[in-house]
Amino acid sequence: GTIEPIIQVEVGTQVSGIIDRIYVDYNSIVKKGEVIAEIDRSTLEAELESSTATLESNKTEYEYQEKNFVRIKGLHDKGISDTDFETAEYNYNKAKSAYDKSKADMFKVRQNLGYATITAPIDGVVIGREVEEGQTVAASFETPTLFTIANDLSRMRVIADVDEADIGSVQDGQRATFTV
């Protein structure tokens, strides 16, 4: 069997990138919220700039189409063709959707930028480090484990494997001994 901490947390990342800095090693004592590693932010910052430009462009287009729609709607009430009104309404709705999507994309990019800073989720001791500085991590379908942090090494548990032939004679509450 094995001896394990009662509470241990695997720390991963939700974004892909190159590990830029590692601030802890095996046996490092960490506090909840302490920065333990950082992923290179240059790609994420470029995505933020791109999203900002797209958002501004879509906002300008939305505001223009909104003004145009209000103007055409006023003219439609005075007899302008239905086709011109429907075209203006279509362009307005399309611009509004693009602007709303840009706002959502911007939120996502900002969140991802925040995920580039990896912090300790609990107070404890680093008992596992799976990465080195310069290593690329890919967060695709499964979050890669970067660190394992144990909460309290003074409280451990034994995960014992008992042979199938012997388990029949083990009773609940029975006293057990083991060797490490």
Side-chain angles (χ1 to χ4, degrees):
T2 59
I3 297 177
E4 298 178 354
I6 292 176
I7 298 174
Q8 71 179 21
V9 176
E10 292 180 348
V11 181
T13 178
Q14 295 185 13
V15 294
S16 300
I18 297 170
I19 300 293
D20 194 29
R21 299 286 312 236
I22 295 177
Y23 299 105
V24 297
D25 203 351
Y26 296 101
N27 297 322
S28 294
I29 296 171
V30 295
K31 297 288 181 196
K32 181 178 181 174
E34 178 181 341
V35 176
I36 57 177
E38 290 179 342
I39 293 177
D40 179 43
R41 302 167 72 89
S42 57
T43 304
L44 296 168
E45 287 170 349
E47 283 181 36
L48 180 62
E49 287 180 29
S50 175
S51 291
T52 301
T54 302
L55 178 65
E56 289 301 317
S57 174
N58 286 339
K59 181 181 178 186
T60 302
E61 178 67 17
Y62 166 67
E63 289 170 349
Y64 169 75
Q65 292 297 342
E66 183 178 37
K67 289 175 186 173
N68 191 45
F69 173 67
V70 169
R71 186 173 46 80
I72 297 287
K73 185 176 181 187
L75 293 173
H76 180 258
D77 295 340
K78 294 179 181 174
I80 197 171
S81 74
D82 287 342
T83 303
D84 290 341
F85 173 73
E86 290 167 358
T87 301
E89 184 178 33
Y90 169 77
N91 289 337
Y92 166 69
N93 289 331
K94 187 175 171 184
K96 185 177 184 329
S97 294
Y99 179 50
D100 290 343
K101 182 184 181 311
S102 291
K103 287 193 284 189
D105 289 346
M106 187 74 160
F107 176 79
K108 180 181 173 186
V109 169
R110 280 197 175 117
Q111 285 289 108
N112 285 343
L113 196 55
Y115 293 145
T117 302
I118 300 158
T119 59
I122 61 171
D123 292 346
V125 177
V126 177
I127 61 171
R129 187 180 106 185
E130 307 297 324
V131 292
E132 297 293 333
E133 285 185 9
Q135 183 176 339
T136 301
V137 291
S140 52
F141 297 111
E142 193 174 300
T143 302
T145 300
L146 307 180
F147 302 94
T148 304
I149 299 174
N151 179 256
D152 181 5
L153 293 179
S154 66
R155 293 176 31 98
M156 304 289 277
R157 65 181 174 182
V158 174
I159 306 297
D161 295 320
V162 180
D163 188 82
E164 204 172 308
D166 297 330
I167 197 68
S169 59
V170 175
Q171 301 296 319
D172 190 20
Q174 181 180 356
R175 184 174 168 86
T177 59
F178 62 91
T179 341
V180 179

